[in-house]
Amino acid sequence: MTLIIDNLQDIQKNIQNAVKKAGREISDITIIAVTKQVSTERAIEAIDAGLTHLGENRPEGLLEKHETIANHATWHYIGSMQTRKVRKVIDQIDYLHSLDRISLAEEINKRVNHPVNCFVQVNVSGEEAKHGLSPVELPTFIEQLSDYPHIRVAGLMTMAPNTEDKELIRSVFKDLKKLQLEIASKGYEYAPCTELSMGMSNDYEIAIEEGATFVRIGTALVGNERRESNEGER
């Protein structure tokens, strides 16, 4: 657990600096510990270190950890969700970070009897390899979600390009913030859209400076046990 505690202390310092620079409060930020590359045991260590929000990107990984940890964590599904796998995980998660098509909204609405907090995924950078709606498609998509009473749009989510160009990364986060404010201004009861899920291990500080409320941090926080094992064998 020392690894996680040490990493968390460093990350909290970085977050403190970022919120100070942006004139925000550290209480505005929720850290999601992305545990997809680690075991259930290390996920439990993360909880013991005070990290109560866990993120997974595959149904199998989420269900395996949920079986042991259950309601001791707030669960975030952060990967692309296949429609056929909705029924497996939708009752085990608190937030879905990858709503990007009506067929997925339909399936979620059909499988649950309570509102599900969703982040609509937006492909701000326009990269072909990334999932998500284009910014142009977003307003109409949000309007269409009014037909699905169990969908609650908590906010928007994006992934910045994998690049060393910090200004490009910043521009993507700035654009998502603008889109979030535009949707929030509509006053939709089903889509308050007050949150922003953006920023990962390599760019969370920039994301916070530009308005992120949820940051998804994996390797920099909880490590990568597969990589650690390979390095230990050398």
Side-chain angles (χ1 to χ4, degrees):
M1 190 162 71
T2 302
L3 168 74
I4 296 175
I5 291 174
D6 289 346
N7 288 344
L8 179 58
Q9 288 176 343
D10 289 340
I11 288 167
Q12 287 175 327
K13 289 177 184 175
N14 293 338
I15 290 175
Q16 184 64 62
N17 290 335
V19 296
K20 184 177 181 180
K21 187 175 180 180
R24 304 178 64 195
E25 299 293 333
I26 199 163
S27 57
D28 295 340
I29 313 302
T30 298
I31 299 172
I32 303 170
V34 178
T35 53
K36 64 181 184 179
Q37 302 286 5
V38 299
S39 63
T40 299
E41 289 72 25
R42 190 167 295 185
I44 292 171
E45 290 178 10
I47 293 171
D48 290 341
L51 293 157
T52 57
H53 290 258
L54 302 185
E56 286 284 329
N57 71 337
R58 294 172 57 252
E60 297 77 13
L62 187 141
L63 293 173
E64 179 184 337
K65 293 182 177 72
H66 192 281
E67 185 176 358
T68 300
I69 297 168
N71 295 330
H72 293 291
T74 298
W75 294 95
H76 298 255
Y77 192 89
I78 62 172
S80 180
M81 174 72 79
Q82 293 179 297
T83 306
R84 63 187 176 86
K85 293 191 175 182
V86 166
R87 62 182 178 81
K88 292 184 177 181
V89 300
I90 199 62
D91 285 325
Q92 276 69 48
I93 64 175
D94 300 285
Y95 290 88
L96 173 69
H97 289 245
S98 52
L99 180 60
D100 62 355
R101 58 197 186 280
I102 289 298
S103 60
L104 181 55
E106 288 177 346
E107 185 67 12
I108 292 169
N109 197 67
K110 181 170 71 175
R111 296 291 177 184
V112 300
N113 57 10
H114 58 83
V116 177
N117 288 307
C118 297
F119 286 87
V120 173
Q121 184 168 356
V122 186
N123 185 359
V124 176
S125 65
E127 295 171 89
E128 290 185 8
K130 283 187 167 61
H131 293 276
L133 298 155
S134 71
V136 173
E137 295 172 316
L138 180 64
T140 298
F141 181 75
I142 296 289
E143 289 176 5
Q144 291 173 325
L145 293 178
S146 65
D147 294 333
Y148 306 97
H150 295 146
I151 299 291
R152 179 182 181 274
V153 181
L156 305 181
M157 174 272 204
T158 199
M159 297 175 66
N162 183 15
T163 176
E164 296 297 320
D165 186 342
K166 292 185 178 181
E167 288 311 307
L168 176 58
I169 293 170
R170 189 177 298 277
S171 70
V172 168
F173 293 151
K174 279 181 179 290
D175 287 347
L176 192 72
K177 177 62 179 178
K178 290 177 185 176
L179 292 169
Q180 176 258 315
L181 290 173
E182 288 174 11
I183 301 302
S185 72
K186 304 288 186 182
Y188 298 135
E189 186 175 346
Y190 65 92
C193 202
T194 56
E195 310 298 331
L196 279 175
S197 171
M198 59 187 194
M200 299 189 294
S201 288
N202 61 333
D203 56 22
Y204 66 89
E205 294 164 86
I206 301 173
I208 289 168
E209 290 172 13
E210 299 304 330
T213 57
F214 287 79
V215 291
R216 312 177 301 270
I217 307 179
T219 304
L221 180 55
V222 297
N224 180 328
E225 285 179 310
R226 185 179 303 173
R227 186 185 302 166
E228 291 162 16
S229 176
N230 291 340
E231 289 175 353
E233 291 171 0
R234 290 173 187 169

